[in-house]
């Protein structure tokens, strides 16, 4: 399991949140948990958000599905709770990191 790997969401919200992406660095690989951010189906968002790719909520196509990163809902989950790994957002890592930075930055107060 690597940073930016995409996993299927086997949980009860999988229809709305079909995937999660691992965001923690390899420095924490020895732990049996992963910090993940949900990838929500864009079709489940308000119309104004469906078509707007932003720094805070970037859009991606994963397994043919348009999804939006939802950094406000990141969570730590046990490794065994992750579904099948189906891809990676490594080539878009800076966009994922920028979204997390927007949540965590102190520049806005």
């Amino acid at each position: 399991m690597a940073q930016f790997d995409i996993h299927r969401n086997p949980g009860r919200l999988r229809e709305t949140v079909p995937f999660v992406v691992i965001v923690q660095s390899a420095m924490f690989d020895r732990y049996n948990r992963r910090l993940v951010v949900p990838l929500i189906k864009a079709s489940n968002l308000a119309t104004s958000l469906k078509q707007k790719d932003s720094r805070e909520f970037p859009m991606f196509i994963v397994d043919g599905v348009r999804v939006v990163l939802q950094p406000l809902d990141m969570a730590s989950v046990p490794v065994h709770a992750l579904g099948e790994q189906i891809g990676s957002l490594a080539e878009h890592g800076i966009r994922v990191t920028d979204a997390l930075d927007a949540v965590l930055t102190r520049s806005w107060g």
Side-chain angles (χ1 to χ4, degrees):
M1 293 183 176
Q3 187 177 42
F4 307 123
D5 278 357
I6 302 166
H7 290 262
R8 292 196 188 279
N9 177 8
R12 60 182 169 79
L13 297 177
R14 68 183 166 270
E15 290 302 317
T16 305
V17 183
F19 314 107
V20 297
V21 60
I22 295 174
V23 295
Q24 76 185 41
S25 76
M27 184 168 69
F28 297 95
D29 280 354
R30 68 181 177 271
Y31 296 100
N32 199 25
R33 298 187 71 82
R34 295 296 179 265
L35 186 61
V36 299
V37 177
L39 294 167
I40 298 173
K41 281 185 183 178
S43 60
N44 291 329
L45 298 173
T47 304
S48 61
L49 297 175
K50 282 183 192 180
Q51 299 165 354
K52 184 180 179 195
D53 187 23
S54 69
R55 177 177 183 246
E56 299 85 4
F57 303 102
M59 285 189 170
F60 305 99
I61 303 293
V62 175
D63 204 27
V65 179
R66 182 181 292 226
V67 293
V68 177
L69 186 82
Q70 180 47 272
L72 293 175
D73 289 334
M74 70 178 133
S76 173
V77 299
V79 169
H80 69 80
L82 293 171
E84 169 191 16
Q85 193 242 330
I86 60 155
S88 174
L89 288 179
E91 67 184 69
H92 303 287
I94 193 69
R95 293 179 65 213
V96 173
T97 303
D98 283 351
L100 295 174
D101 185 52
V103 172
L104 300 173
T105 188
R106 294 185 60 164
S107 60
W108 295 102

